[in-house]
Amino acid sequence: MLIGAIDLGGTHIKYGIYDHNGEEILLQQTPTEAKRGGKYIVDKLTSISHELMGKENISGIAISSAGQIDANRGEVIFATDNIPHFTGFNLKKVISESTGLKVSVENDVNCAALGEHWKGVAKQSNHFFCLTLGTGIGGAVFLDGKLYHGANFGAGEIGHMTLFPNGKMCTCGSKGCFEQYASSSALQELINMNLDDHVSLPEFFDRVKSGDREFKQILGNWIDNLTTGLRSIVHMLNPELVVIGGGISAQGQFLEQEIEQSLMEKIMPNYRTHLQIKCARNGNNANLLGAVKHFLNDN
C-alpha cells in the first residue's frame, strides 16, 4: 500500500509518498504562502493531492495540518492568523470529494508525536510530551501509550499559554504567549535585534558552538524562556520524555543538553527522575510519518 502524505506548515508544505511501513518513496516541498488565506491553501492542498496521484497508484491521502483539527471529521476547528480564514474548512471532505480517495487529517504536532512514537525517539515511551518549535509552538500529549486529544481536540496547545502577562501581541489575539518568546521565529527575532548582520539559525548555532560569548548569551536568553514554559508542562504532566521537534531539532545532542541543563535547575527534584530531553529523530519529516501512521490507524 502506498500513501500520499502532506504536511501543511506555516512556511512550507512538505509532501511525499510512503509505503505502509513508513518508508519514504518520494519527498518534495513548496512554499505555503500562508498569508494568501485558507481558500488558497485548500486549493493548493487539493492540487498537491492530484499531483501525488499522478506519480503513483496511492491508496489515500494523509494530511498533517497546522491549527486545531477535529481528527474524526477532518475539519479545521480553529487556526490563528498565521493562516488567515482557515478556520472551518473540512479538508477531509474537500479533498476526498476531489480525488475519490480516502483522506485522514490530524494536527501537525500530534502527527510529529505519532511519528516519533512509531519510528523515533519515543518508540519505547508511554508518557511523553512533544513540542515543535517553528513559526509558532505546538504541543502533543501521549498518555499511557496513546495520543490524548482532549475534550475538543485542543489538548497540548501550549504555544498560547501566557509566559509574560501583558507581553508581546500574539496572532491568537492575546498577549505574552509562549510562542512569542520561545519559538524558532522568536530566536531569529532575538538574533536580528541584537546583531548587526543578519545571521541564519544554522550560522548562529555554529557561532555558539565556537564559543562566541555574545551568541551564547542570546541563546541563553531564549533557552531560559523555553524552559520557563516547559517547567509548567513538566509539573503538570510528569512525563518521562520531552521530544523537541521542528527544524531546530537538527541541532541534536547540543540542543538537548542546553535545554536539559536549564530545565533541571527549574523543576522540583521528583520530576527530574527518569526525565529525558530528546530531539526528534525524524526531524521535520516526523509530521509526514505521523500523518501516515494516523491514516493507517484509521483505515
Side-chain angles (χ1 to χ4, degrees), residues 139-249:
V141 184
F142 250 76
L143 299 175
D144 295 322
K146 295 180 181 179
L147 183 65
Y148 176 70
H149 282 106
N152 193 36
F153 298 95
E157 196 66 71
I158 60 163
H160 301 289
M161 68 180 186
T162 301
L163 195 67
F164 296 112
N166 299 315
K168 298 177 185 176
M169 180 61 70
C170 184
T171 56
C172 74
S174 189
K175 291 182 178 180
C177 290
F178 189 30
E179 67 178 39
Q180 294 299 313
Y181 298 89
S183 62
S184 295
S185 295
L187 175 56
Q188 186 68 66
E189 185 179 335
L190 271 178
I191 294 167
N192 295 345
M193 285 173 53
N194 289 280
L195 301 172
D196 292 335
D197 299 323
H198 178 75
V199 178
S200 69
L201 288 182
E203 292 169 333
F204 171 78
F205 278 104
D206 286 343
R207 292 287 295 273
V208 171
K209 293 171 190 175
S210 71
D212 189 297
R213 183 177 297 178
E214 185 177 14
F215 284 68
K216 288 178 71 175
Q217 184 175 356
I218 293 170
L219 179 64
N221 291 339
W222 178 78
I223 291 282
D224 184 51
N225 289 336
L226 177 62
T227 55
T228 297
L230 280 176
R231 176 182 183 271
S232 296
I233 294 160
V234 168
H235 285 161
M236 179 169 58
L237 296 176
N238 190 25
E240 59 193 356
L241 172 66
V242 174
V243 179
I244 309 294
I248 206 166
S249 64

Side-chain angles (χ1 to χ4, degrees), residues 104-177:
S104 69
V105 187
E106 177 60 282
N107 166 266
D108 52 359
V109 191
N110 286 346
C111 283
L114 283 166
E116 288 300 309
H117 190 250
W118 186 24
K119 289 181 173 293
V121 296
K123 195 170 183 178
Q124 305 300 324
S125 180
N126 287 323
H127 304 276
F128 72 93
F129 188 83
C130 176
L131 73 158
T132 57
L133 307 176
T135 306
I137 296 180
V141 184
F142 250 76
L143 299 175
D144 295 322
K146 295 180 181 179
L147 183 65
Y148 176 70
H149 282 106
N152 193 36
F153 298 95
E157 196 66 71
I158 60 163
H160 301 289
M161 68 180 186
T162 301
L163 195 67
F164 296 112
N166 299 315
K168 298 177 185 176
M169 180 61 70
C170 184
T171 56
C172 74
S174 189
K175 291 182 178 180
C177 290

